[in-house]
Amino acid sequence: MRSPSNSEPAAWDMPSAAGWRATLAAMDQGVMIVDAREPDFPLLYVNPAYCRLTGISAERALGARARFLQGDAGDQPALQEVRAALAEARACRVELCSRGADGRDTWIALQLSPLFDGVQARGRPRYYLGVLEDVTRRRVQQREHETTQGLYRALLAEEELVLSAGDLGDMLQKACERLADSGLFQAVLVGRAGQQGFVDLLAQAGSVHVGEDWYRPNVLGEQSERSLAARAWNTRTLQYSNDYLAEAGMDQYRDSVCRLGMRAVAMVPVPRGGHRWALLGVASGRAGVFTPAVLELLERVARLLGHALDAFDLRRRLQQEHHHISWLAEHDPLTGLLNRRGLRTRLQELLAQVDAQGGFVAVGILDFDDFKQINDNHGHAAGDALLRTVAARLVEAVRSSDMVARLGGDEIVLVMQGLVAREDLEPMLTRIRQCIVEPVTLPPGDSVLQIRASLGLTVYPEDASDPDELLRHADQALYAIKRQPRGSGAPFWRLYQPEVDRDRYRHLRLVRERFANGGLRVHYQPVVDMNSSRVVEVEALARLDDGHGRLIGPLDFIHQLGRDGLVAMTVAVLRQAAEDALRWQRECGAELAVAVNIDPLLLASGEALDTVREVAASSGLPPQRMVLELLEHNDFLSFASAQDTLTALRAFGCRIALDDVGSAYSSLLRVKELPIDIIKLDQGFIRGLADNPQDLRFVQSLAQLARGLGVDFVAEGAETPDIVDALRALRVQQAQGWGIARPMPAPEFENWLTAWQPRRGPSQPGLLSCVAQQLVALDTDLLIARHYPEPKPPLIMSRDPSEGPVGRWLLAAGLSGQHPLSMAYAELYAMFRDWMSAGPDADDAMAQSALDHLLRCAGDYLRAQA
């Protein structure tokens, strides 16, 4: 006997010997032989494996009609293939589903082959041989694979959702739609329990609409155990039923579920910010769909949806921070008025409008009389309050189309537009003066000040200058009026008069003559490594000798030089600094880098690389010891040509520093875009640390950013020893300022360098450095507690509070436990202990808030002691 094949009919004679029976009976596969000559194809033989496979005894099977195991599933496409093979007397292989009376499916692989009389026989076969194999397990695995593949696709879609989601509702709705698109579920929903306990539907998708009129479970009360959603909400774990209709105690929604054709239901908690926030619910019309693999993937989808929620929250906070930073970039934080940058942008637009449409614009600078005396007598807080009050009055006094800005200190800019004639200024200036002379009550209400102010004005287009020049002309008019006696009858305002205001021209002539006659002087200020206290660099700073032994500072002469003069000054400072650095190397053995402010005009000219090469060649100073400092707020740095020039300078060996980082919003973006080696933080953030210790956080963040980017970080403006100690506590890499050394001429700097001894830390550190140490201690402990398994290394803030940096300072200062600073310090430790008790996955916002409160209290104390 040969095994039948699909390509060649087999010869088969029904032998009378028992050998074939023993062979077939021993097979693991089910075997049946049917009579092909009878219309109903009755069974002639079945082996024991057939009986085990089908559950039909040999007595019932023999002589019965061969329905080929179709059971109750008679509409299968595979049966059509069997019927076609019987009609054509050929072999076939199919897989059939046999559905029993209990509703369970068994899948059988059937290999059916015709058997003929004689090897060369043709026509109708005499028998059909059927070999059967149970492939249910494989089919179930295949179906589960298809199911998990659908969920994997949904999971990938959810990952895309994390990056592309818009608002919260849109994100949740798209999450439901993408799960429904997988084809696995007839209904997908996201719901959240409200204060009354009812689960409100936030989003849903699928072919079945889940209405709150019939499905709104309550997670509270005695009936909550009868709801999968309530159980999932309360236990914070996945809950499911593979046959909801057979689930005991679920009769509350059984009729609705049955009517909608749903059988299997699952509810998965969705986290947000580390806490349960919502439920993801899915329902399928097929029982038993929730295999372990499917349940695991559902939990992954829920976690990913939670990540999407966290990403949404982070993006929203970043957008708010971005809006705030953008606002700060163009506004003064004290008064809320426009700052210099915001004013310049809007003033340029306004001047262009006047050029196109006609009219006049008045630009004025207002300055309070004796404002310094107000600060000295009443304190800086009173001066700030006065500025805020008067700023608010000015905004009310001018029209909505006008602009009010603060340049700094007590200088306020007024821009009045829409003027048809100069006479239109009179009523507007009268309103402005009235709001100025009105008494100001200082907090806490026991001081009332009568203030006076002066206003310098210029009018465009009579004064056809650019915005910066208009401000300078208004300032010159202000200077002229303030030189007059300031009695009660003194004028309030004055228009710019170029024929009278000759000081500017005399100063301009002096600057250019002295520069041309060799009046440039170079002073040096050291930059110190905070770890080793080693001097690593000097910054070369330009000064101008006025010919009488007095030095003019850079702010008073650089912008008077003109384009060619600026480029010439940059080259001269670089050349002098290179020569001095080589002399210090020969005479002091110090190989210092020299930093020079390079004017963007030199970059724009395309001569920067040639100039640096010429200086390096003529002086012998290696380019690796040249640091070129660029102001971060110069628009030229946005151009591709500037970046190409900087890249070429770095390739030559120079190091590039971005100076005054933080003075404009664009700085953080520039850090990523520009080819730089050093970040120099704007000294305004460092000088004011004693008044605003909250800025310690900003300094620490930028220092960490620099480390992450692999660039050096220099804190400029370290003007006091306490600030230097605070920077060292923050692990700032390098510092520069009067707290280390003031700018000095080259010979004096050489003597200072020879005698330089690192300052030893004080036996009792100041409050500023102590709160800086406390900031670092909290950040370090939070990091250790989150990431180290038990047992954790010793935590600084797990010790007694009196052993902490601020605690030791409080004891030495003798402040009582009821002092606001002492109470803020105790609150910080209490919040840290609460966070530790809640576990490392808890939100540390309360501890961070307590630290912010401590920093504010420290600032109040330091300002009161100033």
Side-chain angles (χ1 to χ4, degrees), residues 406-479:
R406 182 186 178 216
L407 296 184
D410 62 332
E411 285 192 338
I412 294 179
V413 175
L414 298 167
V415 178
M416 292 157 281
Q417 60 176 307
L419 306 177
V420 178
R422 184 178 294 186
E423 290 73 20
D424 295 339
L425 272 174
E426 292 289 347
M428 300 174 65
L429 296 176
T430 299
R431 289 198 306 271
I432 291 171
R433 184 170 191 176
Q434 286 174 349
C435 78
I436 294 293
V437 299
E438 183 180 347
V440 176
T441 302
L442 300 179
D446 53 358
S447 299
V448 178
L449 290 182
Q450 187 76 44
I451 60 174
R452 293 192 304 269
S454 304
L455 178 65
L457 287 166
T458 189
V459 177
Y460 183 89
E462 293 179 359
D463 182 357
S465 303
D466 60 30
D468 291 337
E469 194 73 9
L470 288 173
L471 290 174
R472 280 194 290 272
H473 292 171
D475 191 47
Q476 290 165 13
L478 173 64
Y479 178 74

Side-chain angles (χ1 to χ4, degrees), residues 539-541 570 573 595-599 627-631 659:
E539 181 177 2
L541 303 167
T570 301
V573 171
V596 176
N597 289 291
I598 184 168
D599 194 90
V627 178
L628 307 179
E629 296 190 3
L630 304 163
L631 290 179
D659 199 8

Side-chain angles (χ1 to χ4, degrees), residues 180-231:
D181 290 345
S182 70
L184 304 177
F185 309 113
Q186 280 68 51
V188 182
L189 60 87
V190 175
R192 187 167 190 264
Q195 291 184 349
Q196 303 300 320
F198 290 101
V199 175
D200 299 315
L201 295 183
L202 305 179
Q204 65 169 305
S207 58
V208 174
H209 178 75
V210 180
E212 289 189 346
D213 54 338
W214 65 269
Y215 181 76
R216 200 178 183 215
N218 195 310
V219 302
L220 306 175
E222 299 178 356
Q223 301 296 320
S224 61
E225 281 298 315
R226 303 178 65 183
S227 165
L228 282 177
R231 293 207 310 243

Side-chain angles (χ1 to χ4, degrees), residues 554-568:
L555 294 180
D556 293 328
F557 77 89
I558 284 181
H559 296 293
Q560 309 287 346
L561 292 177
R563 181 193 180 281
D564 294 338
L566 282 174
V567 172

Side-chain angles (χ1 to χ4, degrees), residues 239-299:
Q239 300 289 319
Y240 72 98
S241 172
N242 261 324
D243 191 351
Y244 199 87
L245 301 181
E247 192 79 22
M250 297 298 177
D251 53 342
Q252 182 178 4
Y253 303 110
R254 183 175 288 112
D255 293 342
S256 300
V257 169
C258 182
R259 178 171 35 73
L260 296 172
M262 292 188 292
R263 294 288 296 275
V265 180
M267 292 286 176
V268 195
V270 176
R272 186 177 186 180
H275 304 283
R276 172 204 61 198
W277 183 77
L279 292 173
L280 171 65
V282 293
S284 172
R286 181 162 53 91
V289 69
F290 296 118
T291 64
V294 171
L295 293 175
E296 179 186 356
L297 283 173
L298 276 177
E299 288 188 312

Side-chain angles (χ1 to χ4, degrees), residues 371 373-390 393 438-451:
F371 185 74
Q373 186 175 350
I374 295 174
N375 279 332
D376 293 342
N377 294 341
H378 300 276
H380 289 279
D384 290 348
L386 184 147
L387 287 172
R388 285 193 295 266
T389 300
V390 176
R393 290 179 184 176
E438 183 180 347
V440 176
T441 302
L442 300 179
D446 53 358
S447 299
V448 178
L449 290 182
Q450 187 76 44
I451 60 174

